[in-house]
Amino acid sequence: MPRWKDFAAPLLDWLIPARCAFCTKNPAARGSSLCLGCRQRLEPVREPWCPLCGEPWRFAATVSMSDAAASHPCPRCLKSPPPFERVRSAFVYREPLKGAVSRLKFGGDLALLRPLEELFGEAFGEVVEPGAVIASVPPAPGKLKERGFDLAHRLARRLAAVHGSSTIRTDLLAPTGEGTEQAGLKYREREANARLRFRAAGARLEGTPVVYLVDDVCTTAATLRACAAILKSQGAGTVRGLTLARTVQE
């Protein structure tokens, strides 16, 4: 016989619909934390892009060429090939995603953790190779205590849960406590600063063919470059970066 909860839950959803976690105004779509409007405003990162760092080429494609054909390495990657194989980002760092990430990281709105994790898992749950290792960019000293969460690690954990056959490693990368926040720095400054911020945590990766390196937002990929170089020095065969969002030069 059906239980009363089988009827009560849909009835409560109808009587008191959950609000969208992003706009907090419209009712969330059934089975989702977001309303249809906010979901439709999310802009996936698509080709054409740099096949290495994943930076989108906003004006590279023409009507006579496919997006894949228009993709080509960016000047930074041509000049200095990165230690990772590639970086891919789920969405362009624009509203409503940008505001949601800001409210979570700087406003402490923890209700946004779950929808951001869900979006990341939906975007990349099918791309992880069986038996791969998943690692996340570690937060600066004091950030975890200050915020109460590590967004990059939460995204990595959701990815592992969706995939089911991957292992999360937290013993590979560690913050040094040196350097500054990346925001506001120019590209070359970001590169030098990122190399100061991270170190190997001591564990090795001998025999590990693929490591997926997770972060929340990618701007120039300087942080991912620095961390990927460390992972390669620890024995990783291939490092692939995955981020929730990617900033785009307008």
Side-chain angles (χ1 to χ4, degrees), residues 47-188:
E47 293 185 276
W49 54 36
C50 170
L52 298 174
C53 75
E55 181 175 8
W57 292 107
R58 304 299 293 171
F59 309 106
T62 68
V63 293
S64 62
M65 63 185 352
S66 69
D67 286 343
S71 293
H72 57 282
C74 67
R76 288 195 296 262
C77 289
L78 283 173
K79 183 177 180 180
S80 177
F84 48 70
E85 181 186 44
R86 62 175 178 261
V87 173
R88 296 292 178 264
S89 303
F91 303 101
V92 175
Y93 194 47
R94 291 201 183 109
E95 299 299 342
L97 180 63
K98 184 176 182 179
V101 172
S102 179
R103 278 164 45 208
L104 170 63
K105 295 176 68 173
F106 307 111
D109 190 348
L110 299 182
L112 289 161
L113 274 172
R114 180 181 173 186
L116 294 179
E117 292 170 12
E118 290 175 347
L119 289 174
F120 190 76
E122 291 171 8
F124 294 123
E126 300 298 322
V127 308
V128 178
E129 292 186 8
V133 165
I134 300 174
S136 58
V137 173
K143 283 296 183 182
L144 179 58
K145 183 177 181 180
E146 175 187 333
R147 293 177 177 171
F149 64 91
D150 177 354
L151 180 56
H153 177 69
R154 294 286 295 256
L155 298 176
R157 192 171 67 180
R158 174 54 66 97
L159 185 63
V162 171
H163 189 262
S165 66
S166 300
T167 301
I168 289 186
R169 294 282 298 272
T170 59
D171 58 349
L172 302 173
L173 298 166
T176 62
E178 300 180 28
T180 63
E181 292 292 331
Q182 295 283 73
L185 299 179
K186 297 180 180 179
Y187 175 72
R188 289 185 178 179

Side-chain angles (χ1 to χ4, degrees), residues 219-231:
T219 301
T220 65
T223 294
L224 294 174
R225 276 178 174 260
C227 291
I230 294 171
L231 293 173

Side-chain angles (χ1 to χ4, degrees), residues 15-44:
L15 292 173
I16 312 175
R19 291 294 172 182
C20 172
F22 278 13
C23 70
T24 70
K25 297 176 182 179
N26 300 322
R30 187 170 181 83
S32 173
S33 302
L34 308 181
C35 68
L36 291 176
C38 284
R39 270 200 171 268
Q40 291 172 351
R41 289 175 63 199
L42 292 173
E43 184 179 346

Side-chain angles (χ1 to χ4, degrees), residues 192-245:
N193 186 60
R195 288 193 292 269
L196 290 174
R197 294 179 63 198
F198 306 101
R199 63 175 177 83
R204 298 289 299 173
L205 278 165
E206 302 299 344
T208 303
V210 180
V211 178
Y212 289 89
L213 178 60
V214 175
D215 203 2
D216 51 4
V217 180
C218 178
T219 301
T220 65
T223 294
L224 294 174
R225 276 178 174 260
C227 291
I230 294 171
L231 293 173
K232 292 296 287 285
S233 72
Q234 291 168 287
T238 297
V239 180
R240 297 171 183 166
L242 298 175
T243 74
L244 175 65

